[in-house]
Amino acid sequence: MYVMTKFNTSRFEFVFATDDESLFASVQAVYRAYDTSRLFRDLKLRGAIIKSQRLLLLPGEIMVNRVAGVWNLSSDQGNLGTFFLTNVRLVWHADAAESFNVSIPYMQMKSTSIRDSKFGAALVVEVMKRCGGYVLGFRMDPAEHMKTVFKELSSMHAIYSREPIFGVDVNVQQGRQRHLDPRADSAADDERFEQRTCRER
């Protein structure tokens, strides 16, 4: 089995030899589960995540709140849009253009705060350096409303930090069955790494 990887500007190739014919299917299933669940973990700009002013929820994602009238302060004039708070991430999109959006998983949030800006008080979301180190500012009126949204966002971030959701779940029991019966087909591997179903709080 050949595994080709890339880190920064370097490329690596690993070669593994094994008598277990199920290994290749298992690795493929793990990678497929990881690749299809990136929005649980990675910041995404201008993604196909909004349709008809509604957020396309990920498997197991739960909508917590929708907040209209949120200004994104990334430009001189600002852009009016909408917040979506879920159990996994914070999403904003422009009302005039759904493709102008940002999806910020709680995993990538370094901090949230309310600071002064040239637009007045703003809700500031700072992203981890490994995910770009962005500092995103948002404003909404009245100020009391913004403080309420800030508290809710901080609470969701704290809850996620205690029990993170990565978008992939492993069924240990099926994994044992697979180990005992290497003749099982690759469908079992897909089931082992099915999309995680989040528990209702």
Side-chain angles (χ1 to χ4, degrees), residues 71-96:
W71 290 87
N72 184 324
L73 308 180
S74 59
S75 65
D76 291 336
Q77 296 181 339
N79 291 282
L80 184 62
T82 301
F83 260 167
F84 294 99
L85 280 76
T86 78
N87 59 328
V88 174
R89 55 183 171 160
L90 169 68
V91 174
W92 177 90
H93 79 87
D95 291 341

Side-chain angles (χ1 to χ4, degrees), residues 1-4 13-18 23-28:
M1 182 177 68
Y2 289 82
V3 178
M4 288 174 284
E13 181 176 306
F14 302 91
V15 182
F16 302 93
T18 178
L23 178 61
F24 182 69
S26 297
V27 171
Q28 277 192 319

Side-chain angles (χ1 to χ4, degrees), residues 156-167:
M156 294 306 302
H157 187 202
I159 292 171
Y160 180 91
S161 297
R162 290 195 297 269
E163 191 174 349
I165 301 169
F166 301 109

Side-chain angles (χ1 to χ4, degrees), residues 67-184:
V67 183
V70 181
W71 290 87
N72 184 324
L73 308 180
S74 59
S75 65
D76 291 336
Q77 296 181 339
N79 291 282
L80 184 62
T82 301
F83 260 167
F84 294 99
L85 280 76
T86 78
N87 59 328
V88 174
R89 55 183 171 160
L90 169 68
V91 174
W92 177 90
H93 79 87
D95 291 341
E98 293 180 351
S99 60
F100 184 35
N101 57 60
V102 58
S103 172
I104 314 170
Y106 298 132
M107 179 184 295
Q108 300 299 345
M109 286 186 186
K110 182 178 180 181
S111 66
T112 58
S113 61
I114 292 180
R115 306 181 195 171
D116 290 329
S117 71
K118 64 181 180 180
F119 297 96
L123 194 165
V124 176
V125 178
E126 188 174 356
V127 178
M128 296 287 190
K129 186 177 180 180
R130 65 174 177 267
C131 208
Y134 299 104
V135 178
L136 306 173
F138 304 93
R139 184 177 66 83
M140 58 203 82
D141 296 315
E144 290 74 16
H145 178 50
M146 183 167 61
K147 290 180 181 178
T148 299
V149 174
F150 166 68
K151 290 180 180 178
E152 186 173 27
L153 175 60
S154 299
S155 176
M156 294 306 302
H157 187 202
I159 292 171
Y160 180 91
S161 297
R162 290 195 297 269
E163 191 174 349
I165 301 169
F166 301 109
V168 177
D169 197 14
V170 178
N171 189 316
V172 177
Q173 184 176 3
Q174 288 186 6
R176 289 173 180 168
Q177 291 175 351
R178 180 64 174 174
H179 177 72
L180 294 174
D181 184 8
R183 295 170 297 177

Side-chain angles (χ1 to χ4, degrees), residues 182-194:
R183 295 170 297 177
D185 59 28
S186 60
D189 294 285
D190 293 343
E191 294 176 2
R192 289 168 59 195
F193 302 99
E194 61 189 354

